[in-house]
Coordinates of all heavy atoms in Angstrom, one line a residue:
V37 N -14.8 -6.8 4.5 CA -15.3 -5.5 4.7 C -16.2 -5.0 3.5 O -15.7 -5.1 2.4 CB -14.1 -4.5 4.9 CG1 -14.6 -3.1 5.1 CG2 -13.3 -5.0 6.2
K39 N -18.2 -2.0 3.6 CA -18.6 -0.6 3.8 C -18.8 0.0 2.4 O -18.2 -0.5 1.4 CB -17.6 0.1 4.7 CG -16.3 0.3 4.1 CD -15.3 0.9 5.1 CE -13.9 1.0 4.4 NZ -12.8 1.2 5.5
Y43 N -17.7 -1.3 -1.5 CA -16.7 -0.5 -2.3 C -17.3 -0.2 -3.7 O -16.6 -0.2 -4.7 CB -15.4 -1.2 -2.4 CG -14.6 -1.3 -1.1 CD1 -15.2 -1.6 0.1 CD2 -13.2 -1.1 -1.1 CE1 -14.5 -1.7 1.3 CE2 -12.5 -1.2 0.1 CZ -13.1 -1.5 1.3 OH -12.4 -1.6 2.4
F65 N -18.9 -1.2 8.9 CA -18.7 0.2 9.2 C -20.0 0.7 10.1 O -19.9 0.7 11.3 CB -18.6 1.1 8.0 CG -18.3 2.6 8.3 CD1 -17.0 2.9 8.8 CD2 -19.2 3.5 8.2 CE1 -16.8 4.3 9.1 CE2 -19.0 4.9 8.5 CZ -17.7 5.2 9.0
W86 N -18.6 -0.6 13.4 CA -17.8 0.1 14.4 C -18.1 1.6 14.5 O -17.4 2.4 15.1 CB -16.3 -0.1 14.1 CG -15.8 0.2 12.7 CD1 -15.2 1.4 12.3 CD2 -15.8 -0.6 11.6 NE1 -14.9 1.3 11.0 CE2 -15.2 0.1 10.5 CE3 -16.2 -2.0 11.3 CZ2 -15.1 -0.5 9.2 CZ3 -16.1 -2.5 10.1 CH2 -15.5 -1.7 9.0
K131 N -11.7 -1.2 21.1 CA -10.7 -0.7 20.2 C -9.7 0.2 20.9 O -10.0 1.2 21.6 CB -11.4 0.1 19.1 CG -10.4 0.6 18.1 CD -11.0 1.4 17.0 CE -10.0 1.7 15.9 NZ -10.5 2.7 14.9
R138 N -8.2 7.8 15.3 CA -9.5 7.7 14.7 C -10.3 6.8 15.6 O -10.1 5.6 15.5 CB -9.4 7.0 13.3 CG -9.5 8.0 12.1 CD -10.0 7.3 10.9 NE -8.9 6.8 10.0 CZ -9.1 5.8 9.2 NH1 -10.2 5.2 9.0 NH2 -8.1 5.4 8.4
W168 N -9.4 -4.9 19.2 CA -8.9 -4.6 17.8 C -8.4 -3.2 17.7 O -8.5 -2.4 18.6 CB -10.1 -4.8 16.8 CG -11.2 -3.7 17.0 CD1 -12.0 -3.6 18.1 CD2 -11.6 -2.7 16.0 NE1 -12.9 -2.5 17.8 CE2 -12.7 -2.0 16.6 CE3 -11.2 -2.4 14.8 CZ2 -13.3 -1.0 15.9 CZ3 -11.8 -1.4 14.1 CH2 -12.8 -0.7 14.7
S169 N -7.8 -2.9 16.6 CA -7.3 -1.6 16.2 C -7.2 -1.5 14.7 O -7.4 -2.5 14.0 CB -6.0 -1.2 16.9 OG -5.7 0.1 16.7
H170 N -6.9 -0.3 14.2 CA -6.7 -0.1 12.8 C -5.4 0.5 12.6 O -5.0 1.4 13.3 CB -7.8 0.8 12.2 CG -8.0 0.8 10.7 ND1 -7.9 -0.3 10.0 CD2 -8.1 1.8 9.9 CE1 -8.1 0.0 8.7 NE2 -8.2 1.3 8.6
E173 N -0.9 1.3 7.6 CA -0.4 0.5 6.4 C 0.4 1.4 5.4 O 0.4 1.2 4.2 CB -1.4 -0.3 5.7 CG -2.1 -1.4 6.6 CD -3.1 -2.3 5.9 OE1 -3.8 -1.8 5.0 OE2 -3.2 -3.4 6.4
A206 N -5.1 -6.2 11.1 CA -4.7 -5.9 9.8 C -5.8 -5.7 8.8 O -6.9 -6.3 8.9 CB -3.8 -7.0 9.3
A207 N -5.6 -4.8 7.8 CA -6.5 -4.7 6.6 C -5.7 -5.4 5.4 O -4.8 -6.1 5.7 CB -6.9 -3.3 6.3
S208 N -6.1 -5.1 4.2 CA -5.6 -5.8 3.0 C -4.1 -5.9 3.0 O -3.5 -7.0 3.0 CB -6.0 -5.1 1.7 OG -7.4 -5.3 1.5
A209 N -3.4 -4.7 3.0 CA -2.0 -4.7 2.7 C -1.2 -5.5 3.8 O -0.4 -6.4 3.4 CB -1.4 -3.3 2.6
R223 N -9.3 -7.9 8.6 CA -10.5 -7.2 8.0 C -10.1 -6.7 6.6 O -9.4 -5.8 6.5 CB -10.9 -6.0 8.9 CG -11.2 -6.4 10.3 CD -11.6 -5.1 11.1 NE -10.7 -4.1 11.0 CZ -9.6 -3.9 11.8 NH1 -9.4 -4.7 12.8 NH2 -8.8 -2.9 11.6
V224 N -10.6 -7.5 5.6 CA -10.1 -7.2 4.2 C -11.2 -6.7 3.4 O -12.3 -7.4 3.3 CB -9.4 -8.4 3.6 CG1 -9.0 -8.1 2.2 CG2 -8.1 -8.7 4.4
G225 N -11.0 -5.5 2.8 CA -12.0 -5.0 1.7 C -11.3 -5.1 0.4 O -11.5 -6.0 -0.4
A226 N -10.4 -4.1 0.1 CA -9.8 -3.8 -1.2 C -9.4 -5.1 -1.9 O -9.8 -5.3 -3.1 CB -8.7 -2.9 -1.0
F227 N -8.6 -5.9 -1.3 CA -8.0 -7.1 -2.0 C -9.1 -8.1 -2.4 O -9.0 -8.7 -3.4 CB -7.0 -7.8 -1.1 CG -5.6 -7.1 -1.1 CD1 -5.5 -5.8 -1.6 CD2 -4.5 -7.8 -0.5 CE1 -4.2 -5.2 -1.6 CE2 -3.3 -7.1 -0.5 CZ -3.1 -5.9 -1.0
E338 N -9.6 2.5 -4.3 CA -10.9 2.5 -3.6 C -11.7 3.7 -4.0 O -12.9 3.7 -4.2 CB -10.7 2.4 -2.1 CG -10.2 1.2 -1.5 CD -8.7 1.1 -1.4 OE1 -8.0 1.6 -2.4 OE2 -8.2 0.6 -0.4
Ligands
PLP27 C1 -11.9 0.0 5.4 C2 -11.4 -0.7 6.6 C3 -10.8 -1.9 6.5 C4 -10.5 -2.6 5.2 O1 -9.4 -1.9 4.5 P1 -8.9 -2.4 3.1 O2 -7.6 -1.8 3.0 O3 -9.9 -2.1 2.1 O4 -8.7 -3.9 3.2 C5 -10.4 -2.6 7.6 N1 -10.7 -2.1 8.9 C6 -11.3 -0.9 9.0 C7 -11.5 -0.3 10.4 C8 -11.7 -0.1 7.9 O5 -12.3 1.0 8.0

Side-chain angles (χ1 to χ4, degrees):
V37 177
K39 65 189 178 195
Y43 291 43
F65 186 74
W86 56 95
K131 185 179 187 192
R138 256 206 265 160
W168 71 293
S169 189
H170 193 46
E173 298 185 328
S208 288
R223 301 181 309 270
V224 174
F227 282 12
E338 291 88 321

